[in-house]
Amino acid sequence: MLEVRLFPFLTLFGSILFLILVATPGQAAFVDIGTGARPMGLGGAFTALADDASALYYNNAGIAFSEAIQLHGTRVSHLGGLASHNFIAGILPVGKIGAFGISTNILSESEEIYQEQAIKLSYATSFKGKFSTGISVKRLRTTYNQESKSITDNPYFATYQTSALSADLGVLILPLSGLRVGMVAENLIPTNISISESGEDNVPINFRFGVAYDLDAVADTIQQESLQQILKTARGSAEVGRRNGQTAIKGGIEVWVNPTIGLRTGYALHNNQTGVISLGGSLRLKLSSTRLQLDYAYRLFSVELTESSNSQLFSLGVVF
């Protein structure tokens, strides 16, 4: 069976990534803060789901199963507007050839002193509708405002702009009905974005492993009819991530009350014991052959960083 033949590959893939993670030191750069109101409403546990255009951020292998052109945009406001994160993505399926994707995400702060930008080109293909793999090449760029006195007067700066290339690899497996397994390795090419001549600032390798399950598979075992109906439109997801010696565990549940309204909640626990509770919802509208989906998520940090430490996300997705 397919799942039996894939097991040795999964074991090898996971072992290699584990060794890379242990052996590679790195400094904090291009932090994996997540994007997309729907994924973040699930606590960020989207590696195994990866079933819309935000898959270009979480697991590029997911775009291989897309049957329609998709566009996606997300606006994130952090720390009461002190920082913002914008993400734009598009998917173009090309039949049996596979699917191509392009995305960009920009992280900036309100003082306009520092900005991170990543532009990513992705390709993914599937095999017999049960297994897909994706690869991305991306350009990472940091920019410091040379007009800021705090920057120009700092002797640490040898340059005010850096640019480098890296790559991501993703795998998505559908071994059983309703079950999805995803794995991702990001920043596989060593990337130094240091602005100093005396040191390095390497973008750490980021590894994530996740599972997702459609709960309709167990709905028929529930006696209570109302609960049974909820489970038929529900799915749960969970994942563990490892980056720069830090571990994050995430999980979430999504329920579609009807074809128009979706609700979700999630939780993420990071290595520093910071917990984040997520709540979110969706409004799905169909206009002729085009489907619009507006997503919203609100994240509550268990440790209050500032008076406005929580964040809000707004996303708009279009499927043609």
Side-chain angles (χ1 to χ4, degrees):
M1 296 178 65
L2 178 63
E3 55 267 28
V4 175
R5 295 198 300 270
L6 289 176
F7 183 76
F9 173 80
L10 297 181
T11 303
L12 177 61
F13 182 82
S15 300
I16 292 174
L17 293 179
F18 178 79
L19 292 174
I20 291 174
L21 287 167
V22 171
T24 306
Q27 305 297 319
F30 284 88
V31 177
D32 183 14
I33 60 175
T35 190
R38 179 172 171 243
M40 296 308 290
L42 289 162
F46 206 66
T47 298
L49 283 178
D51 58 358
D52 60 30
S54 57
L56 288 165
Y57 184 95
Y58 291 93
N59 186 351
N60 48 29
I63 70 173
F65 296 114
S66 178
E67 298 179 352
I69 297 173
Q70 296 189 43
L71 299 176
H72 173 98
T74 292
R75 169 72 176 179
V76 188
S77 177
H78 295 289
L79 304 175
L82 292 178
S84 63
H85 184 203
N86 298 311
F87 176 73
I88 300 174
I91 301 175
L92 177 64
V94 193
K96 295 182 179 180
I97 296 175
F100 294 90
I102 183 171
S103 63
T104 181
N105 55 281
I106 300 174
L107 176 66
S108 58
E109 40 75 40
S110 60
E111 297 296 324
E112 299 183 349
I113 295 176
Y114 175 72
Q115 183 183 92
E116 290 182 356
Q117 181 186 57
I119 299 176
K120 182 187 296 187
L121 298 175
S122 304
Y123 168 75
T125 186
S126 65
F127 305 91
K128 298 183 179 180
K130 293 291 185 179
F131 171 80
S132 69
T133 182
I135 187 169
S136 298
V137 177
K138 59 187 180 182
R139 176 177 175 265
L140 306 177
R141 180 172 176 264
T142 65
T143 304
Y144 293 84
N145 186 354
Q146 299 182 50
E147 297 180 359
S148 172
K149 189 174 179 59
S150 61
I151 299 298
T152 55
D153 290 350
N154 192 332
Y156 183 77
F157 284 83
T159 181
Y160 302 103
Q161 181 176 298
T162 65
S163 181
L165 295 177
S166 194
D168 303 338
L169 174 66
V171 173
L172 187 60
I173 305 154
L174 285 62
L176 302 171
S177 177
L179 177 64
R180 302 166 71 94
V181 180
M183 292 183 292
V184 173
E186 297 177 329
N187 310 318
L188 287 171
I189 299 176
T191 305
N192 178 22
I193 58 169
S194 176
I195 45 85
S196 170
E197 293 180 344
S198 60
E200 292 188 355
D201 187 6
N202 294 304
V203 181
I205 293 176
N206 189 27
F207 172 67
R208 295 193 301 270
F209 174 85
V211 295
Y213 191 65
D214 291 339
L215 299 180
D216 64 343
V218 298
D220 292 337
T221 65
I222 305 299
Q223 298 298 320
Q224 188 175 351
E225 185 175 348
S226 59
L227 180 58
Q228 186 182 84
Q229 293 300 316
I230 292 175
L231 290 177
K232 286 184 177 180
T233 63
R235 54 181 17 178
S237 63
E239 71 180 56
V240 59
R242 184 75 174 171
R243 181 186 192 273
N244 199 25
Q246 304 290 311
T247 300
I249 300 173
K250 306 173 182 179
I253 296 177
E254 177 181 72
V255 177
W256 283 91
V257 179
N258 55 47
T260 302
I261 300 174
L263 300 174
R264 58 190 64 88
T265 186
Y267 184 78
L269 179 64
H270 298 271
N271 194 75
N272 59 5
Q273 304 304 309
T274 299
V276 184
I277 299 172
S278 300
L279 301 170
S282 294
L283 179 63
R284 183 180 289 172
L285 303 172
K286 192 167 184 180
L287 304 174
S288 185
S289 60
T290 302
R291 191 185 75 195
L292 302 178
Q293 183 166 317
L294 178 63
D295 301 315
Y296 172 78
Y298 188 77
R299 306 176 71 214
L300 302 91
F301 289 80
S302 60
V303 177
E304 189 172 353
L305 304 176
T306 69
E307 293 183 356
S308 303
S309 59
N310 301 324
S311 61
Q312 299 184 73
L313 296 88
F314 298 88
S315 295
L316 177 62
V318 184
V319 180
F320 296 95

